[in-house]
Amino acid sequence: MKRRNTDSKKAILELLESSKSALSHDMIQGIISRNIDRATIYRVLNRFCEDKIVRRIVGDDGKQYFAYCINCVEKKQKNNHFHFRCTQCGKVECLNEEVKVALPDGYEMHNFNGIVSGICSDCASLRSGE
Amino acid sequence: MKRRNTDSKKAILELLESSKSALSHDMIQGIISRNIDRATIYRVLNRFCEDKIVRRIVGDDGKQYFAYCINCVEKKQKNNHFHFRCTQCGKVECLNEEVKVALPDGYEMHNFNGIVSGICSDCASLRSGE
DNA sequence: ATTTTATTGCGACATTATCGCAATTAAGGA
DNA sequence: TCCTTAATTGCGATAATGTCGCAATAAAAT
Ligand SMILES: [Mn+2]
Ligand SMILES: [Mn+2]
Ligand SMILES: [Zn+2]
Ligand SMILES: [Zn+2]
């Protein structure tokens, strides 16, 4: 199945590339100026994931977040790492530390999804009065 | 808010206690003989989590799984550990290995949610012909 | 036995994500 | 440039998961 270059695709990819944190569907919908349909955004994102251009992170809020892979590679995060989700501001960012998982014999790992949620330093300092 | 001992509560807790793996709402609904309302099951589970009797695990399928805490304590898994979700049979089980997460300065961890999904040894061996 | 109020059942609702289908449109070739 | 093909989009419907309001029920205390 050949991929085509569409405006929606370009807009979403540019957004993810330039974003320092992983973005959920509604974040993307909210940020992007072009009016792209909800289903289309999901379909574009799913295609990116199939093509391994983007990686999908499932938050402990049950929502999907999407991050441009090269961001991770640049930061030497090719391997498994946790993501931190701030329950205050919603940011989902990489934690720069490789995680190794030891599976029992005969187990096959297909996906790694490590999430830590809490309060990021920005929100924590705001809360305690600058 | 005082807790009361109801049949629903007892049935669900017994099920979780005796289960070797974490259970989702629909697993519980399916297994239990008594006919308990969906909303009630969720409310009972949420109360268990508030009371720290049960812990909530969010799968990379976006669904919530619930596990009796003492199970973990017995296995010396009081601390953070991954759970393995088999995409074939649906089992969600503990991985007996403590995980330490290093957060940047000023970050506060409120929840840990580590999931690895794939194929468990049972399903893998079945697939490759016994 | 009576009172208090935590809990339940039911239906409605919210949210997130997917799907079917007809209409568009990118891409490649004539 | 025009045509053809099929990947992509928009729209509405649908699925799946989980929560909420409210009246009815029932556990526990008096
Ligand atoms: Mn990352
Ligand atoms: Mn566990
Ligand atoms: Zn924050
Ligand atoms: Zn399995």
Side-chain angles (χ1 to χ4, degrees), chain B residues 4-6 25 38-39 42-43 46 62-64:
Chain B
R4 291 180 183 179
N5 248 330
T6 69
H25 154 78
R38 202 159 41 91
Y42 277 116
R43 281 187 282 222
N46 286 335
K63 290 170 61 176
Q64 303 184 352

Side-chain angles (χ1 to χ4, degrees), chain A residues 42-101:
Chain A
Y42 277 115
R43 282 188 281 223
V44 168
L45 290 169
N46 285 336
R47 263 176 262 144
F48 283 158
C49 289
E50 280 176 36
D51 299 346
K52 315 264 187 191
I53 296 168
V54 161
R55 92 172 46 184
R56 183 196 321 268
I57 300 142
V58 178
D60 54 351
D61 55 355
K63 291 169 60 177
Q64 303 185 352
Y65 295 84
F66 299 88
Y68 188 53
C69 281
I70 307 298
N71 284 352
C72 297
V73 172
E74 272 173 5
K75 291 175 187 167
K76 302 187 179 59
Q77 294 179 333
K78 201 172 183 178
N79 297 320
N80 296 330
H81 57 275
F82 277 94
H83 288 88
F84 184 90
R85 183 177 68 88
C86 178
T87 54
Q88 188 84 39
C89 65
K91 231 183 339 185
V92 173
E93 49 190 327
C94 300
L95 292 181
N96 298 352
E97 195 189 339
E98 187 179 340
V99 179
K100 267 173 271 183
V101 181

